[in-house]
Amino acid sequence: MKALASFIMQGGRQATIVVATMAILSLLMPPLVIISVAAVCLLTLRNGYIDGLRVLIGATVATALIGYIVLGTSVVAFTYLLMMWLPAYLVSLVLRETRQLNLALECLVVLGMVAVVGVYSAIDDPAQLWAAGIQNALAALSEQQPLPISSEELQVGVELWSHYVTGLVVAGTLLSILMSLLLARWWQGLLFNAGGFDEEFRSFRLLPRDGVLFIALMVIAVVFDGWPAELMWNLDIQLLLLFLIVGISVVHVVIKSKSSSKYLLFAFYVMVFFVPHLILPLIVIGLSDVWMNWRQRFITKT
């Protein structure tokens, strides 16, 4: 990974090659989009907005040409630009100028909230649109193989979760950008500031305003009915991403303080990715850390 980061930092041309190539390959292997976006973040974090903007333009043109030749359309390039590269570029600029990871991630969540509001402003009933799309996909799937649940149970589930798909899709996109930003910050530490990323991630905390906003949106969602409540829940989903990352950071500190074994820390991150039951406890830890500062309490006691 360090070799790849070094190659990206050799210049805008090399970075553009990585961004565009990984974007096209991600159509076959989706996780590669994280490397594509991380390359944008790394160059922007290190060299500033001019070099980052050049890579954005170059990668968009290159991806559009490759997409047109291979797929017969250039839409994929502009999709990546608007949904992945441009938000990552803006958040990287915030992190570069402020050197505050919490502020950068807050800006990322704000972009996600703007996207959610945009969807609800442009579409009268997003839930109905999602429900129709999911039902069509499941109908096509059921023709190939029988589904493990009845059609009535399926209908109930689709009607319930379709109200939150907008927020989940946007949050999923934000998560990919967040992982790319953290990867780029780690690369930057490897190349220019050994140990810097670990210290920054371990000390990462949110401010009380984030917790207050989360609770306020939840209260509004409970009090109101209809689309206002649905909108509030979908906005709140974006904030859950912040608390999840803080929760991971808190557990990271606890494990490193209790044990010097790298295998235990590795096992924790494997569980984060493959054991979904950990998500809720980590979110609760992250939310409560806004007021409790668990890391400071733990360090003081130990």
Side-chain angles (χ1 to χ4, degrees):
M1 295 296 282
K2 186 175 182 180
L4 178 59
S6 298
F7 178 76
I8 293 170
M9 289 307 302
Q10 287 179 11
R13 184 176 302 175
Q14 288 82 354
T16 300
I17 291 173
V18 173
V19 173
T21 302
M22 291 300 169
I24 293 297
L25 291 177
S26 70
L27 298 175
L28 300 175
M29 299 179 62
L32 291 179
V33 72
I34 294 175
I35 297 178
S36 174
V37 179
V40 174
C41 295
L42 176 60
L43 201 72
T44 305
L45 285 170
R46 184 63 185 176
N47 294 352
Y49 74 96
I50 294 295
D51 284 358
L53 187 59
R54 288 172 179 167
V55 169
L56 277 185
I57 296 173
T60 302
V61 173
T63 306
L65 290 175
I66 297 173
Y68 183 78
I69 294 172
V70 176
L71 304 174
T73 178
S74 301
V75 174
V76 62
F78 300 100
T79 301
Y80 277 121
L81 174 64
L82 296 177
M83 294 184 62
M84 304 296 293
W85 296 335
L86 186 57
Y89 169 74
L90 296 175
V91 174
S92 298
L93 286 178
V94 173
L95 182 55
R96 172 183 167 85
E97 296 301 323
T98 65
R99 298 184 180 181
Q100 297 182 38
L101 185 59
N102 65 315
L103 185 58
L105 298 190
E106 285 175 344
C107 290
L108 179 61
V109 168
V110 169
L111 291 176
M113 289 182 168
V114 170
V116 170
V117 172
V119 170
Y120 275 84
S121 300
I123 302 174
D124 292 334
D125 191 353
Q128 184 178 4
L129 186 64
W130 286 115
I134 294 172
Q135 287 172 347
N136 291 336
L138 291 175
L141 181 62
S142 63
E143 294 177 357
Q144 301 177 7
Q145 60 183 21
L147 298 177
I149 59 176
S150 65
S151 58
E152 291 78 10
E153 293 174 327
L154 185 62
Q155 181 67 25
V156 172
V158 170
E159 290 181 357
L160 172 64
W161 289 104
S162 62
H163 295 283
Y164 311 106
V165 174
T166 299
L168 292 172
V169 169
V170 173
T173 303
L174 296 188
L175 180 60
S176 297
I177 296 173
L178 172 59
M179 293 175 65
S180 298
L181 180 65
L182 295 179
L183 175 59
R185 199 62 163 173
W186 179 62
W187 279 345
Q188 188 179 21
L190 284 179
L191 295 177
F192 308 106
N193 182 23
F197 172 76
D198 186 61
E199 179 62 29
E200 183 178 42
F201 183 70
R202 288 193 302 155
S203 60
F204 166 57
R205 286 193 69 225
L206 297 175
L207 298 176
R209 66 190 180 200
D210 300 303
V212 171
L213 178 59
F214 175 78
I215 294 174
L217 290 175
M218 183 180 295
V219 170
I220 295 173
V222 171
V223 171
F224 289 90
D225 294 321
W227 73 264
E230 183 177 315
L231 175 60
M232 293 302 107
W233 285 121
N234 281 276
L235 291 175
D236 235 3
I237 290 174
Q238 313 314 308
L239 286 168
L240 292 179
L241 183 62
L242 286 179
F243 302 129
L244 173 62
I245 298 303
V246 174
I248 292 174
S249 176
V250 171
V251 177
H252 180 106
V253 171
V254 171
I255 292 177
K256 290 204 71 172
S257 300
K258 284 288 188 180
S259 173
S260 59
S261 173
K262 294 183 179 180
Y263 297 105
L264 185 59
L265 197 60
F266 175 76
F268 165 67
Y269 281 103
V270 170
M271 292 176 65
V272 169
F273 280 98
F274 295 102
V275 183
H277 304 84
L278 282 179
I279 301 300
L280 182 57
L282 289 172
I283 289 174
V284 172
I285 292 172
L287 176 59
S288 60
D289 183 70
V290 170
W291 294 282
M292 301 302 295
N293 194 359
W294 294 118
R295 280 160 292 196
Q296 185 62 41
R297 289 170 180 265
F298 180 82
I299 293 172
T300 301
K301 289 182 179 181
T302 55

